[in-house]
Amino acid sequence: MLAPKILVIPGSLRIGSHNTRLAALAAKELALAGAEVTRISLEDYPLPLFDAESAGAPPAAAAKLNRMLTAHQGAFIASPEITASVSPLIKNAIDWMSRPREGGEPNYSAFRGRAFALGAAASDLSGGIRGLIALRQILELGCGALVIPEQVTVPRADQAFDDDDNLKDRAQAAALRALARRLVETASIMR
Ligand SMILES: Cc1cc2nc3c(=O)[nH]c(=O)nc-3n(C[C@H](O)[C@H](O)[C@H](O)COP(=O)(O)O)c2cc1C
């Protein structure tokens, strides 16, 4: 089996972000599961707030992000829950990626033919589940993407990681490992 290329996207730019920590751990598990992993920060893709009426070409960062996703067979997104929904940072990036306008590809083409897996870390007890429900809806119903049914939520994220940045809870750690394997398996048949 050729190693599938998996993109890892943390949905927060906050220093000390729990989701960036979760994304780093997911990247490690994906690599152990046989993927060729690219972990990015949306800080390197500065995008204005998407406005459907904006005229002209998308910003260079949008085209670059679109190409980055297209170069991978799968993606893992770790998104905080913000006001009972998805991180606006992630939603904005998805909206820009959905409109390539480069080379005449159809809208949402970057999301088709690749597999997505989702995780969230939150400081409260819910673990960011409502944000993942919203993100799943956006990706599946909005973008036509394939999203793996399993997902990982990390409640009380401020206490969930040990000094080596591993999850302390064995069931959560096992769930992340299983999700990483599932993403690698699914992405590898999506060429
Ligand atoms: C405006 C705002 C709204 C938030 N709404 C929620 C929420 O609905 N549910 C939740 O679990 N956390 C909520 N939070 C807390 C963030 O999800 C939490 O700070 C999280 O750690 C941010 O992710 P990060 O650690 O990856 O930066 C909110 C934070 C802000 C600033």
Side-chain angles (χ1 to χ4, degrees):
M1 180 178 91
L2 266 180
K5 294 178 80 175
I6 307 286
L7 185 64
V8 175
I9 311 175
S12 171
L13 303 182
R14 190 176 70 81
I15 293 167
S17 156
H18 304 309
N19 286 280
T20 302
R21 220 169 175 188
L22 178 62
L25 185 56
K28 197 167 93 180
E29 292 294 352
L30 286 160
L32 287 171
E36 189 184 324
V37 180
T38 314
R39 181 155 55 100
I40 60 168
S41 168
L42 290 175
E43 194 172 14
D44 298 325
Y45 301 83
L47 292 166
L49 191 57
F50 183 85
D51 170 9
E53 300 306 318
S54 301
K64 199 172 138 198
L65 195 53
N66 189 289
R67 281 197 300 274
M68 179 58 84
L69 179 58
T70 308
H72 292 76
Q73 284 90 50
F76 180 93
I77 303 177
S79 174
E81 177 177 298
I82 301 293
T83 319
S85 190
V86 68
S87 140
L89 185 72
I90 286 290
K91 177 66 165 61
N92 196 49
I94 290 174
D95 288 339
W96 275 115
M97 279 190 282
S98 74
R99 297 286 184 281
R101 293 200 198 122
E102 223 194 20
E105 295 98 340
N107 292 342
Y108 302 109
S109 55
F111 296 90
R112 307 272 159 83
R114 42 194 49 84
F116 289 79
L118 310 181
S123 34
D124 76 0
L125 271 179
S126 75
I129 181 84
R130 295 173 300 178
L132 292 193
I133 292 168
L135 181 53
R136 185 175 288 280
Q137 170 167 318
I138 291 161
L139 288 168
E140 286 182 344
L141 302 185
C143 304
L146 187 154
V147 185
I148 286 170
E150 296 88 343
Q151 58 192 20
V152 169
T153 51
V154 180
R156 290 268 158 87
D158 48 330
Q159 299 159 35
F161 295 89
D162 66 19
D163 293 343
D164 297 321
D165 281 341
N166 291 310
L167 285 165
K168 290 182 199 164
D169 185 277
R170 290 171 74 169
Q172 268 171 23
L176 181 63
R177 193 161 301 129
L179 181 60
R181 287 202 192 114
R182 186 81 190 271
L183 179 57
V184 169
E185 276 164 26
T186 311
S188 63
I189 55 171
M190 298 202 69
R191 297 167 187 280

